[in-house]
Structure formats: structure tokens, C-alpha cells
Amino acid sequence: MYIHKKMAMLLCAVTCGLAACSSQPSYHAKDTEQLLKQHEQWQYIQQGAQHVSYLTDLVSIDGLEPIIAQAVANNPSYNQMHVALRLAYAQRQVTAASQWFGVDADFNGQRSEDEGTQYSSSLGVSWEADVWQKNADSVSAQDMTIASSQADYQGARDTLVASVMRTYLNIILRQNLLDIEQQRLVVLQNNEQNIIERYQLGLGDLEALDTARTSTASTRATIADYIEQIAQSKRALEVLGGVDVLEGLSVPAQMPNVLQPLAELPVQDLARRPDLQSAFYQIKAKRYLVDVSYKALLPSITLSASLSDLANTPSQALLASPVWSLLGNLSAPLFQGGALRAQVDIAKLNAEQAFWDYQDTLLTAVNEVENALGQEQSLSTQQEQINIALQSAQRSVANYQSKYQQGLIDILDLLTVQQTVYDLQAQLAQIHYTLQTNRIDLGLALGLGVSA
């Protein structure tokens, strides 16, 4: 009797000691809300910005919506994210099952020389009491992982739609550049014919003909390059759509205007970003796992009950006269070579890593918005100045053509101003395209999503 009391007191002391050394405060990462509040306002002031709810509200192009719908339905990378989300839900069910009791049934037969054939059956029920809420914390961690996967899924959708919009606009740009080069080619061919006709009238020589033909051949090479670029952009759009061929793809003649999305307070804009939401939920998931690792050091209580029977026939062995038993078990880890303590350290480091990942994502988000806002102003200024330069160059062409017809200037001077006009037209088309796609990037940076 004395020995049993002594063993009970020893077990109680060990259990209390483990509880005392394990009841450390859970790891708490730095406050993410304070990180958001560090950015009070954007550096740039917008002009002409408009409030929109979704990324697709920025531009209206006939035929674009069916392509977006097709991409969402068929894009392989996006659908992989969907599968990953479903896996997260399935893993959550596995984790939640640990909170329930388990039931096992067993039936077997054994034949021996002395006793003949004997049959046995058993039915067991076991349940681990979640005294410290360890299983509940594991489920909560899985819930946060699901929320993170949902944010990643939304982010993948937003990125996919933005890529479709950019690629579609790129096709329009390449078509516009091709039109400019074809117009240039017509003018250059006319110049060649004029040089030949003037020579036949004795008004000039053929020395400038080689220069004109050089420009013509170079333009033909550029045209061939743009034709292939258009084909590549269309194939890129097909890849995004997850199909081999896009049926009925129509390309507008002019670059559409993309609205400039309104940037509000940073804390409002950034909070909408899926990547930042995903990083935030990862922090919460890792915090729960830190608690789980601490609670793994504490004692656990398991209750089990069983029914068993033994008979000479299968029917009699099916729990006809069962023997029942009930067992309560209290266990606590005493020594595992520091493995559990190492798991605590690993969980804390993972939580710390999740915080710094959030910080990195936040800084990237702020940088993307600031860059897009700065680009908006820079590209708008460039577009305005190139327009002024183009108007001046077009006036110069008219003057030079008149002087050339009067024999006051050489054909090379006329070629130079003509080339300048088409170069400025191509540059203006490129800037206009960059400005429109930058607004799509700005909407993405501000967290404008796509309706589900």
C-alpha cells in the first residue's frame, strides 16, 4: 500500500512539473495592423482617376469577356490552384477527425492441434480527451490554411485575368505598329517611283535610289517581324485560355482606353490584396501550430472500451456472450531526446518566418502601387510631349514635300522627316499601350479583384 502511494505521488509530481515547464506563453508575432498603418498615404496625387469595383471594369472591349471566361474555365495553372484549395479542405477533414472517437472491429479464426478451431471477435472504442485544446488548435490552424489557400486562389484568378487583358492589348498594339509600318512602306515605295520619274525628266540622279531602297527593305523586314509577333501574342492568348485555337478572335483597330483606378488610403487598398491576405492567414496558422507544439508536452488522457468474445463457431463468436472492459489512460512524455522541445522551436521559427514573409509581401505591395502611380504620371507626360513632337513633324513633312517638288531640297532630307513621323507614331502607340497596361497593373496592385 505504501509503495502504491509513493508511485502515485511520484507520477503526480512529474505531471505537475511537466505542466509547469510547458505552460509558457504562446508565441505572439508582431502586430500586422501596425505594419499597415505605417503607410499613411501614397506619394503621388492622381488626376482623372475613377472608382471601380473590379479589375474587369477598367476596360470595355467587345469579345474580351468570352476569352476571360474561357481562361478561367480552362487555364491549367489556375485550375491547379483550385485543386490545391480542395486539398486544403480535405486535409482539414483529416485534422478534424482527430476530435472524434474511433471505433475498430476485429474478427479472426485460429486452429491449433490441442484446442481445434476457435473464433474470436472484438469491438473497441477509443477517444482522446482534448483537455488542452490541442486538437482544436490543429483544426483552427487548418482553417487558417484554408483561408490562405482561398486568398491564393483569388490571387491566381486576378493575375490570370490581368494577363489575358494585357495580352489582348498587346495584340492590338502589334496590329497598330504593323499598320504604321505598312503606311511607311507605301510612302517609301512612292519615293522610289518619284526618284525614277524625276531622273527620267532630267531633274535628278539615281544616287538617292539606293538609300530609298534600303529604307524600303528595312521596313519590309520590320513588317515581317510584326506579323510574327502578332501570331505569337495570339498563341500566348490561346495558352492563357487553355485551348489550341481561339474561335472568332477579333482585334479592334484602335487601342481602347483603360480607366485609371482610384487609389485610396493604403490601409484600405492593401487590405484587399489576396497575397497580403494569404500571408496574414499564414501567420495565424503558424501561431496555432506553436500552441499545438507546446501542448504536445502536456499529459494526455485516453479512454477506451472494448467488447470481446471467444467461441468454437463463427456465429457464437459474434459477440453472443461478450466480455467488456473499460480503460482510462493518462500518459505524459518524459524523455524523447529533446525532440518535442525542438518541435516547439521549429514552430516558433516558422511563425517568425511567416511574419517576415508578410512584411516582405507588404513592402512589395507598397512598392508596386507607388511604381504604378509614378508610371501613370510619367507616361502621361511622355504621351503629351510625343503628341506635340508628332504634330510638329507632320507639319515639317508637308513643308519638305513642297520644297522637294520645287527642287529646293534633296530626297534624303524628305526621307528623314518622313521617317521621323512614322517613328514618332510607333513610339506614341507604344507609350499609349504601356500607359493602358500600367493601369491594369495599378488595379492589380490596389487589390481590385475579379468577380467570382
Side-chain angles (χ1 to χ4, degrees):
M1 188 69 177
Y2 174 75
I3 296 176
H4 287 303
K5 288 183 178 180
K6 186 174 182 180
M7 292 296 295
M9 292 176 61
L10 177 61
L11 179 60
C12 182
V14 171
T15 302
C16 293
L18 286 171
C21 66
S22 302
S23 59
Q24 304 178 28
S26 299
Y27 172 81
H28 294 286
K30 299 174 179 136
D31 192 355
T32 54
E33 293 183 2
Q34 293 299 324
L35 293 177
L36 278 175
K37 292 178 181 178
Q38 289 177 2
H39 308 280
E40 298 180 354
Q41 62 183 7
W42 302 117
Q43 296 180 10
Y44 296 90
I45 299 176
Q46 291 180 290
Q47 294 181 351
Q50 301 185 42
H51 178 77
V52 294
S53 300
Y54 298 107
L55 198 64
T56 48
D57 295 339
L58 295 176
V59 58
S60 177
I61 307 176
D62 292 336
L64 180 59
E65 289 186 3
I67 298 175
I68 291 176
Q70 195 170 34
V72 170
N74 301 322
N75 183 267
S77 298
Y78 174 68
N79 280 282
Q80 287 182 40
M81 296 297 296
H82 187 203
V83 174
L85 178 58
R86 292 167 59 189
L87 284 172
Y89 275 106
Q91 184 59 47
R92 197 266 184 196
Q93 292 181 341
V94 174
T95 305
S98 61
Q99 295 179 301
W100 293 85
F101 56 85
V103 179
D104 297 310
D106 180 66
F107 180 83
N108 62 72
Q110 183 179 359
R111 183 179 180 85
S112 64
E113 183 177 356
D114 296 333
E115 300 178 357
T117 303
Q118 287 188 328
Y119 299 91
S120 63
S121 63
S122 64
L123 181 67
V125 179
S126 62
W127 175 68
E128 181 180 352
D130 195 14
V131 179
W132 317 110
Q133 296 295 302
K134 182 180 72 171
N135 294 335
D137 287 342
S138 297
V139 173
S140 297
Q142 198 62 44
D143 287 338
M144 294 300 101
T145 301
I146 289 176
S148 177
S149 297
Q150 288 174 333
D152 290 336
Y153 183 54
Q154 180 63 46
R157 175 190 287 262
D158 299 343
T159 302
L160 173 62
V161 172
S163 297
V164 170
M165 295 167 65
R166 289 193 209 97
T167 305
Y168 197 84
L169 293 180
N170 184 265
I171 295 175
I172 300 175
L173 168 67
R174 299 303 167 188
Q175 186 62 54
N176 290 345
L177 293 176
L178 177 61
D179 294 340
I180 292 171
E181 292 303 314
Q182 289 174 338
Q183 294 172 15
R184 189 201 301 256
L185 179 61
V186 171
V187 172
L188 292 175
Q189 288 175 336
N190 290 336
N191 286 341
E192 288 186 29
Q193 186 62 33
N194 288 336
I195 293 172
I196 294 174
E197 291 176 357
R198 288 175 63 84
Y199 175 75
Q200 291 174 346
L201 295 173
L203 299 178
D205 53 49
L206 294 177
E207 292 180 359
L209 185 58
D210 286 336
T211 302
R213 286 176 174 173
T214 299
S215 298
T216 302
S218 176
T219 300
R220 288 195 180 99
T222 304
I223 288 174
D225 182 41
Y226 282 147
I227 291 175
E228 177 56 28
Q229 288 185 27
I230 292 173
Q232 290 181 4
S233 295
K234 289 181 177 179
R235 287 193 289 269
L237 195 59
E238 291 169 354
V239 171
L240 290 172
V243 295
D244 293 332
V245 178
L246 281 173
E247 301 292 344
L249 178 62
S250 60
V251 180
Q254 299 296 327
M255 180 72 65
N257 185 48
V258 179
L259 300 179
Q260 180 188 176
L262 177 65
E264 302 177 29
L265 295 177
V267 67
Q268 295 173 315
D269 293 326
L270 297 177
R272 298 182 301 188
R273 286 182 57 122
D275 57 347
L276 206 60
Q277 293 175 8
S278 176
F280 171 74
Y281 287 125
Q282 282 296 322
I283 289 178
K284 298 189 72 173
K286 295 301 189 294
R287 287 180 178 177
Y288 279 117
L289 292 178
V290 170
D291 291 339
V292 170
S293 64
Y294 270 122
K295 291 170 183 178
L297 298 171
L298 300 175
S300 61
I301 299 176
T302 304
L303 300 176
S304 61
S306 65
L307 295 174
S308 61
D309 200 357
L310 182 66
N312 293 325
T313 63
S315 59
Q316 293 176 343
L318 292 176
L319 302 179
S321 301
V323 176
W324 63 270
S325 63
L326 180 65
L327 175 66
N329 180 52
L330 173 65
S331 62
L334 295 180
F335 177 74
Q336 295 186 12
L340 294 179
R341 281 293 177 182
Q343 290 296 331
V344 171
D345 294 337
I346 291 173
K348 292 172 66 176
L349 290 172
N350 284 334
E352 183 75 14
Q353 189 177 50
F355 166 77
W356 288 115
D357 181 66
Y358 179 89
Q359 172 77 326
D360 182 56
T361 304
L362 176 59
L363 292 176
T364 300
V366 172
N367 186 59
E368 288 177 354
V369 175
E370 297 288 11
N371 286 343
L373 291 173
Q375 276 284 84
E376 172 71 28
Q377 296 190 9
S378 175
L379 291 169
S380 297
T381 302
Q382 293 178 49
Q383 187 178 45
E384 180 182 353
Q385 296 303 316
I386 294 298
N387 264 318
I388 295 173
L390 178 59
Q391 294 172 6
S392 298
Q394 289 171 337
R395 289 193 296 267
S396 295
V397 167
N399 293 331
Y400 272 68
Q401 283 178 338
S402 176
K403 291 181 180 181
Y404 176 69
Q405 291 172 356
Q406 298 173 19
L408 299 178
I409 62 171
D410 188 78
I411 184 63
L412 297 179
D413 297 326
L414 179 59
L415 283 173
T416 299
V417 294
Q418 288 175 338
Q419 295 282 52
T420 300
V421 168
Y422 291 112
D423 290 342
L424 287 173
Q425 287 179 346
Q427 186 178 356
L428 184 62
Q430 182 68 58
I431 291 175
H432 187 59
Y433 161 77
T434 306
L435 179 61
Q436 307 312 307
T437 55
N438 181 72
R439 290 176 177 178
I440 295 174
D441 294 339
L442 177 58
L444 205 59
L446 293 173
L448 292 182
V450 179
S451 174

